């Protein structure tokens, strides 16, 4: 079972010389690819890129499966508290591989598995509504924070802990919380030790957005009943192709090269991911974060100011044909589109015949929604080609744990290659840290008073740029 990267829509033959790439231009990236490849291989060998080891971690897999088994027996609801890389991978897996309406199914149809919720924001309305929905005695809360100090997650945790302690008492509440965090460092690790929470480790060298195949994404997935062993097998399989030295045989590297050339040589700084599948919708969301946070950088690896990074956009086919496609077709030539497709949906829905005498309706009868979805995707691809808009397509033969494992792993490696080609560090996120620090200042965290002062001074004075309705 193999996923395929088709980049026929990126080349001059398809879209002409102004927007398309020539073989020569692609091959001219051979030297940069080789350097990036060697650098990644070296760092990997030296243990500097531990996310590569996640698909091989059988001990970790067993620990997660055992934990999930216990969780399933002990709760009706499973709530993830986490944000950014600590939530998006789990959400993508749940959307791709669980029943589309898992939480609305009766328990028997969920095979006894709990409902799964991801609280990845701190909106007081959304969060309190969720807490009203789940019963503290019958819920397990999985607090996920690599650093153990993210304000959003730790605030959610404090709210939940308070509620649990008031209801169950200090000792008993501990059984309702599982902390997924750094094995040694950080406030959450210390709290878990003090309170006696069960914990799962995130390897210190695995950043949030590369953690989907660690307990961060795998525990919620396993609790939902997703075959995480297959997911890891798919990732291991993708690793074989994505470490090849030949650019033309390495899909992660080739797609990175194409994306980088689209951005730099062809001046298309916007990268759209458009799955034609509801199941893959949140893969685009996950990808948006890993792409944006990894590649949007002020400095390159030599310390030069570059302000680089393509802007990722997510879209959904066919829905967004009626929303964004007009812009992609006729707006500025500033985008490269990546379609995600599946050769086989897990369900087939026939469109019954009806109103045969009406030309505009009757033709639909006898087809399936599957045919229609496929036709819409191919038609959009063709229309973009006609309009000279560059695009690639990643096709999954079907959506299952193995192919999703392949896809996510390939996209992670693609990000590493793109970082190498842009000559930036894809593994840090200084911009996110800066925002976090201003929040700490405003919320009164010790050591960040200067940030609060700075914001207050900017806010003082008249505000001439405001108009009321
Ligand atoms: O990918 C990243 O590094 C970030 O998006 C983090 O996951 C996010 O900021 C949450 O951090 P933490 O897991 O430390 O709470």
């Amino acid at each position: 079972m193999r996923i395929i990267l088709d980049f026929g829509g990126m080349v001059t033959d398809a879209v002409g010389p102004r927007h398309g790439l020539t073989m020569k231009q692609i091959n001219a990236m051979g030297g940069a690819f080789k350097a990036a490849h060697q650098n990644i291989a070296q760092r990997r060998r030296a243990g500097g890129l531990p996310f590569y080891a996640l698909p091989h971690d059988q001990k970790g897999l067993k620990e997660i499966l055992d934990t999930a088994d216990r969780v399933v027996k002990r709760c009706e609801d499973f709530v993830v508290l986490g944000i950014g890389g600590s939530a998006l991978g789990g959400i993508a897996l749940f959307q791709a591989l669980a029943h589309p309406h898992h939480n609305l199914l009766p328990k028997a149809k969920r095979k006894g598995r709990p409902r799964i919720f991801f609280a990845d924001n701190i909106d007081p309305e959304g969060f309190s509504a969720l807490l009203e929905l789940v019963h503290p005695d019958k819920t397990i809360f999985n607090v996920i924070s690599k650093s153990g100090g993210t304000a959003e997650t730790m605030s959610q945790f404090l709210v939940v802990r308070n509620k649990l302690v008031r209801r169950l008492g200090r000792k008993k509440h501990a059984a309702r919380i599982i902390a997924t965090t750094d094995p040694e460092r950080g406030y959450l690790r210390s709290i878990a030790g003090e309170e006696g929470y069960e914990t799962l480790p995130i390897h210190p060298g695995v950043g949030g957005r590369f953690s989907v195949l660690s307990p961060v994404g795998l525990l919620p997935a396993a609790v939902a009943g997703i075959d995480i062993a297959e997911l890891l097998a798919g990732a291991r399989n993708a690793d074989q192709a994505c470490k090849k030295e030949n650019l033309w045989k390495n899909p992660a590297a080739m797609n990175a090269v194409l994306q980088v050339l689209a951005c730099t040589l062809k001046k298309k700084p916007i990268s759209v991911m458009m799955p034609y599948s509801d199941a893959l919708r949140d893969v685009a969301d996950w990808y948006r974060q890993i792409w944006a946070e990894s590649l949007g950088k002020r400095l390159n690896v030599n310390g030069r100011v570059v302000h680089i990074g393509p802007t990722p956009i997510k879209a959904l086919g066919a829905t967004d044909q009626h929303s964004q496609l007009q812009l992609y077709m006729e707006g500025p030539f500033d985008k490269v589109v990546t379609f995600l497709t599946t050769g086989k949906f897990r369900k087939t829905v026939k469109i019954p015949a009806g109103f045969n005498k009406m030309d505009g309706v009757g033709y639909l009868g006898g087809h399936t929604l599957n045919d229609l979805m496929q036709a819409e995707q191919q038609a959009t691809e063709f229309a973009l080609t006609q309009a000279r808009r560059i695009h690639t397509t990643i096709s999954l033969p079907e959506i299952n744990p193995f192919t999703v494992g392949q896809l996510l792993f390939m996209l992670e490696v693609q990000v590493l290659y793109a970082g190498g080609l842009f000559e930036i560090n894809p593994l840090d996120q200084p911009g996110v840290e800066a925002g976090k620090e201003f929040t700490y200042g405003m919320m009164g965290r010790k050591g960040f008073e200067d940030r609060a002062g700075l914001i207050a001074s900017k806010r003082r004075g008249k505000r001439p740029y405001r108009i009321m309705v």
Side-chain angles (χ1 to χ4, degrees), residues 35-47 49 52 243 417:
H37 184 76
Q38 276 170 0
N39 181 277
I40 292 170
Q42 255 168 28
R43 290 171 71 189
R44 183 177 181 176
R45 271 197 303 276
L49 295 170
Y52 269 112
K243 67 180 180 196
Y417 277 115

Side-chain angles (χ1 to χ4, degrees), residues 74 139-141 164 168 170-178 195-198:
R74 290 185 35 235
T139 301
I140 289 190
F141 294 89
L164 290 173
L168 305 169
R170 175 90 192 268
K171 206 164 160 224
K172 275 196 173 164
H173 95 282
R176 299 271 126 217
I177 293 181
I178 298 176
E195 300 286 281
Y197 300 151
E198 184 171 354

